[in-house]
Amino acid sequence: MDAIECLKSRRSIRKFKKQQIPREIILEILECGRWAPSGVNYQPWKIFIVTNPEFKKKLAKCTNYSKIINNCPSVFLIYLDKTIEYSYTKQVQSIGAFFENFLLSIHAMGLGGVWIGEILNQKDEVDKLLDINDPKLEFMGAIALGYPEEIGKSFRKPLDSFVSWI
Ligand SMILES: Cc1cc2nc3c(=O)[nH]c(=O)nc-3n(C[C@H](O)[C@H](O)[C@H](O)COP(=O)(O)O)c2cc1C
């Protein structure tokens, strides 16, 4: 798939096959994630990969999207590592770039996933589950990953609703 087609055809996937994801595929996805751009190339991400069903059940209680978490084979918990002091905005933007690289790479590989932000209001609970007690680490969101069972529809606003030529 070429890059343009990949980014236009990517959709959030919320229903997954039972099939597990081989470790080498997970490593290749992370490899694509780590090539995301970041401010001053600080690469401020830290990733926790959850495949254990019991752990996933506990994690699922932290979001209204518990069904997605329980039914996908793997969940990636994306943290911002603030050890290096730098613009908070640019650090968060770098994490966004990581998310997007991740989502595009899984689509290109025939997998699917969804960015789950509706877990951040229980970020303290997520920290507790991971036994994280470090103010330098901030939870930024999750990605549920798997082989797509169903591909949803989406839409975009027309260009002229948000673009101005100066
Ligand atoms: C910051 C962010 C948070 C999101 N949080 C959720 C979420 O909690 N649950 C969910 O089902 N989708 C979530 N999404 C996915 C969006 O709903 C989805 O990207 C949007 O509706 C466009 O659909 P598409 O990705 O299929 O093109 C989130 C996306 C972003 C960028």
Side-chain angles (χ1 to χ4, degrees):
M1 182 186 319
D2 83 11
I4 303 292
E5 192 204 333
C6 179
L7 67 89
K8 284 188 185 170
S9 61
R10 180 212 57 79
R11 292 292 165 272
S12 294
I13 302 297
R14 298 179 175 85
K15 286 196 177 152
F16 302 96
K17 296 188 169 132
K18 291 254 175 288
Q19 198 178 340
Q20 293 298 315
I21 305 154
R23 191 181 173 85
E24 45 300 356
I25 304 242
I26 290 185
L27 292 175
E28 181 59 11
I29 295 164
L30 293 167
E31 184 64 22
C32 294
R34 85 186 174 106
W35 281 101
S38 60
V40 201
N41 201 12
Y42 280 149
Q43 305 167 49
W45 33 75
K46 189 155 175 62
I47 317 298
F48 296 89
I49 306 166
V50 182
T51 53
N52 179 297
E54 291 310 310
F55 194 100
K56 269 201 297 116
K57 267 188 212 157
K58 291 182 196 162
L59 188 64
K61 293 194 178 131
C62 299
T63 173
N64 293 332
Y65 292 95
S66 52
K67 214 168 154 187
I68 298 179
I69 302 272
N70 278 322
N71 294 335
C72 73
S74 311
V75 184
F76 290 71
L77 302 173
I78 319 288
Y79 274 74
L80 167 62
D81 182 346
K82 297 179 281 193
T83 307
I84 297 175
E85 285 192 25
Y86 177 58
S87 151
Y88 180 71
T89 303
K90 286 188 257 184
Q91 296 277 60
V92 172
Q93 288 170 339
S94 304
I95 295 292
F98 184 94
F99 266 92
E100 184 65 352
N101 262 34
F102 190 112
L103 292 174
L104 290 174
S105 70
I106 63 175
H107 178 47
M109 292 179 211
L111 286 106
V114 60
W115 181 327
I116 298 187
E118 202 288 308
I119 187 169
L120 290 177
N121 38 11
Q122 295 201 50
K123 56 162 71 170
D124 293 347
E125 292 308 311
V126 177
D127 283 351
K128 264 188 222 155
L129 285 175
L130 292 171
D131 208 15
I132 287 177
N133 189 13
D134 179 351
K136 297 279 183 203
L137 286 180
E138 183 178 346
F139 182 44
M140 292 278 121
I143 297 175
L145 175 71
Y147 290 95
E149 174 69 37
E150 190 181 298
I151 301 169
K153 290 206 171 85
S154 196
F155 78 101
R156 291 298 183 267
K157 296 175 191 171
L159 287 183
D160 61 10
S161 71
F162 65 93
V163 176
S164 303
W165 297 77
I166 311 293

